[in-house]
Amino acid sequence: MPSPLADSVKLPCGLVFPNRLSKAAMAELMAKTNQPNDSLNDAYEQWSQGGWGSILTGNVQVDVDHLGSPFDPALHGEYTGDDKTVVKEWKKYADACQKHGTPALVQICHPGRQSFRPAGRRGFFAQTIAPSEVPMNIGNGLLEQLIACVAWSQPREMTRGDIEKAIRCFVDTARLMADAGFSGVELHGAHGYLIDQFLNSKTNLRTDEYGGTPTKRARFVLDILREIRKVVPPTFAIGIKLNSADHSSSTFEETMTQIALLVDAGIDFMEVSGGSYEDPQMMGYAKSETPKSERTAAREAFFLEFAKEVRQRHPGLVLMLTGGFRSRAGAEAAIRDGACDLVGIGRPAAIDPKFPLLLLDESLDDEKAALPLEKVPTPFYARWLPRNLIGAGAESTYYAGQISRMSRGLATLAPAL
C-alpha cells in the first residue's frame, strides 16, 4: 500500500508540492557577508536531489541591521524591483534550491528583541526594537541575568515609523524572492521573533492599533500579508510559521482568534512549531519539563495536540507540523490522525539530505525507514551555563556544522553520546 507521504498537496495559490515531506528551516550559519554564496547554494543543491516535496530555507532576515545570527543572509537595503545585480545573486540561490524541480520557499524573518548584540549592522551597543520594552529573560538567577545582559541589548518600543519600515522590509524581501524565482515565502511568526512578539501578549503591551486585543496584536502580520500580496504573482505562496508551545490554556482562544484571522486573510499554509530563545522547545529543550499526555508521548511530533486542534477548527487550512519526526511510521501517523497535511523534517535532513527517498522506499520495512538521533552532547566547558539555552545552542551549531560538511561534499555525522 502506497504511503500517504507520497501524496501531492496543492496550496490555495495553485502551487503543488509533489509529496508531503518538507525540508524544514534550519540555521545554516554560512552567509559570512550576509548574502547568498556558493557554499549555501551547494548545500541546497544537495537537498534539491533528495526527493523532498518542498524545501524551506533557513532564516533570511529582512533587515541587515537586525540579524538573528551574524551569518544570516539578509536584505541589505530597500528593494523596488529594479536592481538586477541583487536579483542575479538571489537567483543563483533559487536555482540551486529548485534545480531538480522541488518548490523552494524562503523563511523571511526579523528577530526584533532577539537580535544578538554582534548580529546586524546597527552597532554592538545599539538597542534592539520590539513591540514593547520587554527585555529578554532566560531565567531569574544572577548568571542567567548576566548572560542575557551580555547577549542582548535592552529593546526599545517601536514607533509607528519603525513598524511601517519593518513591514516594508518584509514586503521588499518577499518581492525580491519572487523576482529571483523562488516559489514562495514563509513568514517566521514563531520562536520569539518579531512577528511572534507582536502576536504574544507577554511581549506586546501596546495599547494602540497594534496591541491590546488578540485582533490588534495580529494587525502587524496581517498588514505584512496584505502588502506582500500586492507585489508578488498570484501563484507565489505565502505561508506562516506559528508557535504552539508558548501559549497557555488562558491564552489558547486568543491564539485561535489570530489563526482564524490569518485563514480569513488567505494564508496558503501554516507551519506549527514552538519555543523561543527563552524557552527553546523547538530543539527539544525547555525551561521546565511539562508532562505530556500518553497519546502525545506515543507520537514523534513535539506539537501534535495543538496542530490537531487547529485542524479541527480549520479543516481547509494546509497545515505543516514540524519538530521531532524521525521515521516513516511517525510521519504517517500524524497524516493518518488528521493532524497535518505536510511533515516538516529538520535535523535528519542535515544528516541525510535524501531522507525522503528512504521514507518513501516501499521495499523497506518501517523499522529501517527511520533515522533516530541522539541529543547533541553539551561541551564540558559550557555545562555550568543554563541547560535550556546552551543545549539548544549546541544542537543548532552542531547541525549547522553538518550542513557545512554537506556543502563541501563531506560525509555527515549523526551525534553520538
Side-chain angles (χ1 to χ4, degrees):
M1 180 179 177
S3 170
L5 302 177
D7 295 341
S8 63
V9 177
K10 185 176 182 179
L11 303 185
C13 67
L15 180 66
V16 176
F17 295 159
N19 64 55
R20 297 182 186 271
L21 299 171
S22 177
K23 177 264 164 193
M26 290 178 286
E28 307 102 352
L29 305 181
M30 296 170 69
K32 293 182 179 180
T33 63
N34 306 124
Q35 295 173 321
N37 55 38
D38 290 343
S39 295
L40 198 61
N41 296 344
D42 290 344
Y44 277 87
E45 187 173 340
Q46 291 288 318
W47 280 312
S48 77
Q49 304 174 49
W52 299 94
S54 55
I55 291 172
L56 288 173
T57 73
N59 277 339
V60 169
Q61 304 293 349
V62 302
D63 186 342
V64 74
D65 290 337
H66 301 271
L67 303 179
S69 87
F71 308 118
D72 292 335
L75 187 71
H76 284 239
E78 185 179 5
Y79 176 74
T80 58
D82 56 1
D83 192 331
K84 294 182 180 179
T85 302
V86 172
V87 173
K88 183 178 179 180
E89 289 304 310
W90 286 92
K91 188 176 188 305
K92 292 178 184 178
Y93 188 16
D95 289 348
C97 292
Q98 301 177 138
K99 185 173 182 178
H100 296 274
T102 301
L105 295 86
V106 180
Q107 182 172 264
I108 60 177
C109 179
H110 191 305
R113 70 184 186 131
Q114 283 191 171
S115 182
F116 289 105
R117 286 186 185 273
R121 300 186 181 179
R122 67 185 181 277
F124 188 87
F125 295 103
Q127 287 183 282
T128 53
I129 58 175
S132 303
E133 295 180 358
V134 179
M136 294 291 293
N137 177 16
I138 59 173
N140 297 322
L142 183 60
L143 178 61
E144 288 89 345
Q145 293 180 40
L146 178 61
I147 291 172
C149 183
V150 171
W152 298 285
S153 61
Q154 172 71 27
R156 65 173 177 83
E157 181 173 301
M158 295 171 71
T159 65
R160 181 61 182 265
D162 291 327
I163 292 173
E164 291 175 353
K165 179 185 176 183
I167 292 170
R168 287 198 307 272
C169 287
F170 274 99
V171 174
D172 286 354
T173 305
R175 188 204 314 246
L176 174 57
M177 297 307 114
D179 290 350
F182 282 101
S183 297
V185 293
E186 181 183 52
L187 307 176
H188 200 332
H191 301 175
Y193 291 120
L194 186 61
I195 291 175
D196 185 36
Q197 291 164 33
F198 269 94
L199 292 170
N200 197 324
S201 61
K202 296 178 182 177
T203 48
N204 184 348
L205 310 180
R206 304 175 74 97
T207 57
D208 62 3
E209 62 269 43
Y210 287 97
T213 68
T215 299
K216 289 182 177 180
R217 294 198 302 272
R219 178 174 175 177
F220 180 67
V221 67
L222 294 173
D223 285 353
I224 291 170
L225 177 57
R226 182 186 66 251
E227 294 302 315
I228 289 177
R229 286 287 185 208
K230 295 178 181 178
V231 300
V232 298
T235 54
F236 189 77
I238 306 174
I240 188 167
K241 178 186 286 186
L242 285 186
N243 265 9
S244 65
D246 63 348
H247 298 286
S248 65
S249 59
S250 63
T251 62
F252 182 80
E253 287 303 326
E254 294 185 354
T255 304
M256 291 297 119
T257 295
Q258 292 172 337
I259 289 175
L261 291 169
L262 287 161
V263 172
D264 291 343
I267 203 77
D268 284 301
F269 70 94
M270 182 175 294
E271 180 182 3
V272 176
S273 187
S276 66
Y277 289 167
E278 294 178 315
D279 192 15
Q281 298 188 35
M282 65 285 193
M283 301 300 294
Y285 290 85
K287 283 183 179 179
S288 61
E289 296 295 331
T290 302
K292 296 181 179 180
S293 70
E294 291 183 5
R295 189 173 184 183
T296 300
R299 299 290 188 265
E300 290 180 341
F302 294 156
F303 312 114
L304 182 64
E305 290 176 331
F306 183 92
K308 293 190 74 171
E309 180 64 24
V310 175
R311 160 66 70 242
Q312 182 176 350
R313 299 190 186 207
H314 303 285
L317 174 62
V318 176
L319 200 59
M320 179 187 299
L321 185 58
T322 298
F325 289 108
R326 301 287 180 268
S327 70
R328 179 169 64 203
E332 287 183 346
I335 297 296
R336 289 182 170 135
D337 282 355
C340 60
D341 304 287
L342 304 168
V343 174
I345 297 173
R347 281 168 276 183
I351 301 301
D352 182 1
K354 297 182 179 180
F355 190 48
L357 301 182
L358 177 72
L359 298 187
L360 297 174
D361 186 347
E362 295 181 26
S363 68
L364 297 178
D365 59 30
D366 283 352
E367 185 176 348
K368 293 182 179 179
L371 181 56
L373 296 172
E374 300 283 355
K375 282 270 198 318
V376 173
T378 301
F380 75 91
Y381 56 81
R383 291 177 183 175
W384 56 275
L385 297 171
R387 177 180 176 273
N388 64 303
L389 186 64
I390 300 306
E395 292 273 335
S396 182
T397 301
Y398 180 87
Y399 286 101
Q402 301 314 302
I403 295 170
S404 177
R405 291 179 62 87
M406 186 174 70
S407 74
R408 290 175 283 152
L410 300 176
T412 54
L413 305 170
L417 295 177

